Amino acid sequence: MPEKTIAEFSVKYVQVMDEKGIADAKLMPRLSDKQIIEMYRLMVLAKAFDDKALKLQRQGKIGTYASHRGQEACQIGGVYALGKNDWLFPAFRENAAFIALGFPMHLLYAYWGGDERGAKIPKEFNALPTSIPVGTQLLHAVGTAWAMKLKKKKSATIVFFGDGATSEGDFHEAMNFAGVFKTPTVFLCQNNQYAISVPRSQQTAAETIAQKAIAYGFEGIQVDGNDVFSVYRAASEALKKASMGNGPTLIECFTYRLSDHTTADDAKRYRTEKEVLEWKKKDPIERLRKHLEGKKIWSSRKEKELIDWANEKVEKAVKEFEAMPAPVPDDMFQYLFAAMPRRLREQRDYLEKYVNELRREKNG
Ligand SMILES: Cc1ncc(C[n+]2csc(CCOP(=O)(O)OP(=O)(O)O)c2C)c(N)n1
């Protein structure tokens, strides 16, 4: 039998707006001026939260912190597309995503301050807590989506992860299951070009991350992750497709982490200043502001008012965080299992004894 090609594939790239303005008006999602301004407000608020978090970490008020600077369009565009019954599965850099969801910022600071109460999601939010283990949330997102499908719910899950997570077995298991069972899952990969110091080129030999979906039998697309309209458009379409029973989608948001990996990292050791400067020109917040100015719906006065509003909101959140009563050590053990396993119970009892002894010593 002669040799023949039995499969071919192509990967779409979507860019609605670049640094100069709207690149393809046909692709512009349907959004009112009010909604676009709301997205911009969320991005500015997320940046103010981030700037403050870095300062709090330097002051020793919170622990190691993972900045989302540069990735606001991915996170706000993705969350803005969620329907009221959809669920968010974050990785560990998704503060902007939580802020877009309306999650209280003082609880986010509490989380990064090592306080377990920050990992307890109030019932009104359809979100899982931050997932520090790389990639585990992908399986949770697929499992939940499968449950939605079995219960015939018209909803979907969106799961955030980085380019590094695509090297984890969890990613491949989740993608495979989602493909086979057509679960209503949207995989949103923030390809920010690095997994700590490992560049994307060492993460995979594939040309794009998007194309990995094809091997699992569903669509993968790449979008400009510094353009909130591209991300919103792709996420809305994928969520709609998922909740209508047409299966999963992988969205690769091509973006860049402008900050260090975390406050425990020094990105200067593995990235050139030139590269960072090139990406700063693509700043997603500036790009959206220029768009608003071009539409004549923004002014320097509005900008100043917005920045003041964002800073005030952040300062209020810091005050609330600092006014929280001290956490109870028992919280460390509380939220992981429905029924606490024996080993964990032993550790909890040990700690309780230790804390009581300390208290007795202190009180003489
Ligand atoms: C299972 C697991 N392995 C290793 C780590 C240590 N670690 C934390 S973040 C990270 C890199 C993640 O890179 P990526 O998925 O691209 O996300 P990004 O940090 O770029 O947002 C690693 C290896 C971890 N938290 N969990």
Side-chain angles (χ1 to χ4, degrees):
M1 214 193 349
E3 194 179 283
K4 58 181 180 179
T5 303
I6 56 159
E8 273 180 309
F9 70 88
S10 60
V11 178
K12 264 197 276 177
Y13 175 74
V14 174
Q15 185 186 48
V16 181
M17 174 172 67
D18 63 17
E19 297 94 289
K20 293 184 219 84
I22 297 297
D24 192 340
K26 286 191 304 299
L27 297 177
M28 183 66 189
R30 225 185 287 154
L31 286 164
S32 66
D33 285 353
K34 196 170 160 231
Q35 285 174 309
I36 299 175
I37 290 174
E38 195 182 2
M39 281 176 161
Y40 183 64
R41 288 171 73 83
L42 288 168
M43 285 165 92
V44 169
L45 180 61
K47 179 178 179 298
F49 172 91
D50 200 77
D51 289 345
K52 188 71 189 183
L54 293 168
K55 288 187 187 129
L56 292 174
Q57 191 278 334
R58 296 285 184 268
Q59 293 164 1
K61 292 182 177 172
I62 61 170
T64 302
Y65 173 73
S67 163
H68 55 253
R69 207 41 210 103
Q71 297 177 216
E72 293 86 353
C74 307
Q75 300 189 16
I76 284 152
V79 169
Y80 208 81
L82 289 176
K84 72 175 192 323
N85 297 320
D86 298 334
W87 275 73
L88 166 69
F89 290 72
F92 48 81
R93 201 180 289 291
E94 273 65 69
N95 300 295
F98 274 115
I99 289 168
L101 209 61
F103 192 82
M105 289 191 295
H106 74 281
L107 290 180
L108 289 177
Y109 285 133
Y111 176 82
W112 292 103
D115 186 331
E116 288 298 318
R117 288 170 298 183
K120 201 170 177 227
I121 310 290
K123 274 238 162 0
E124 64 268 32
F125 299 102
N126 290 350
L128 258 70
T130 287
S131 170
I132 296 287
V134 171
T136 50
Q137 76 279 13
L138 286 128
L139 293 159
H140 306 154
V142 171
T144 307
W146 194 34
M148 286 171 173
K149 184 173 176 170
L150 294 176
K151 290 183 163 180
K152 300 198 182 343
K153 295 224 158 104
K154 275 208 161 56
S155 53
T157 61
I158 192 166
V159 54
F160 282 76
F161 55 100
D163 40 301
T166 65
S167 295
E168 291 283 353
D170 295 26
F171 167 77
H172 298 276
E173 290 161 25
M175 294 275 288
N176 192 51
F177 195 100
V180 171
F181 293 95
K182 276 186 177 267
T183 63
T185 318
V186 177
F187 295 89
L188 192 147
C189 177
Q190 294 179 89
N191 171 7
N192 65 8
Q193 314 303 328
Y194 289 89
I196 315 186
S197 57
V198 179
R200 215 286 299 169
S201 57
Q202 282 177 40
Q203 204 65 247
T204 173
E207 209 175 330
T208 68
I209 286 172
Q211 73 201 55
K212 288 175 187 282
I214 293 155
Y216 295 108
F218 57 93
E219 194 191 1
I221 65 165
Q222 192 187 68
V223 306
D224 181 339
N226 285 27
D227 165 21
V228 74
F229 299 140
S230 301
V231 181
Y232 173 77
R233 182 193 161 90
S236 320
E237 282 180 1
L239 284 162
K240 198 164 150 208
K241 169 180 137 188
S243 56
M244 283 168 67
N246 296 319
T249 308
L250 168 62
I251 302 169
E252 174 187 359
C253 297
F254 200 80
T255 186
Y256 196 77
R257 152 168 68 72
L258 287 175
S259 225
D260 294 325
H261 169 72
T262 64
T263 47
D265 172 48
D266 178 8
K268 286 196 198 75
R269 293 178 62 176
Y270 54 86
R271 304 194 306 198
T272 64
E273 209 170 307
K274 187 165 167 275
E275 181 182 291
V276 180
L277 282 175
E278 279 309 306
W279 278 96
K280 275 194 176 152
K281 291 184 197 152
K282 300 176 201 280
D283 188 322
I285 303 184
E286 263 178 45
R287 198 182 287 192
L288 187 56
R289 194 191 61 238
K290 277 192 197 143
H291 174 75
L292 297 177
E293 287 167 356
K295 285 192 90 181
K296 308 254 182 291
I297 52 174
W298 206 243
S299 62
S300 48
R301 182 183 55 80
K302 282 188 177 161
E303 179 71 11
K304 190 185 170 305
E305 278 170 10
L306 175 60
I307 289 174
D308 289 348
W309 167 83
N311 287 337
E312 263 169 45
K313 262 187 101 74
V314 162
E315 289 306 327
K316 189 166 164 273
V318 173
K319 280 208 182 90
E320 277 177 70
F321 157 57
E322 290 181 336
M324 281 170 80
V328 200
D330 201 45
D331 280 351
M332 274 193 283
F333 304 95
Q334 282 304 340
Y335 306 116
L336 209 51
F337 298 96
M340 202 181 286
R342 183 176 55 84
R343 283 213 187 148
L344 209 55
R345 225 171 33 239
E346 283 169 6
Q347 290 175 34
R348 186 196 61 182
D349 294 347
Y350 176 81
L351 184 74
E352 197 181 314
K353 219 170 110 206
Y354 179 73
V355 170
N356 285 341
E357 269 168 28
L358 280 184
R359 280 203 191 110
R360 263 199 301 278
E361 268 174 33
K362 207 170 144 212
N363 297 334

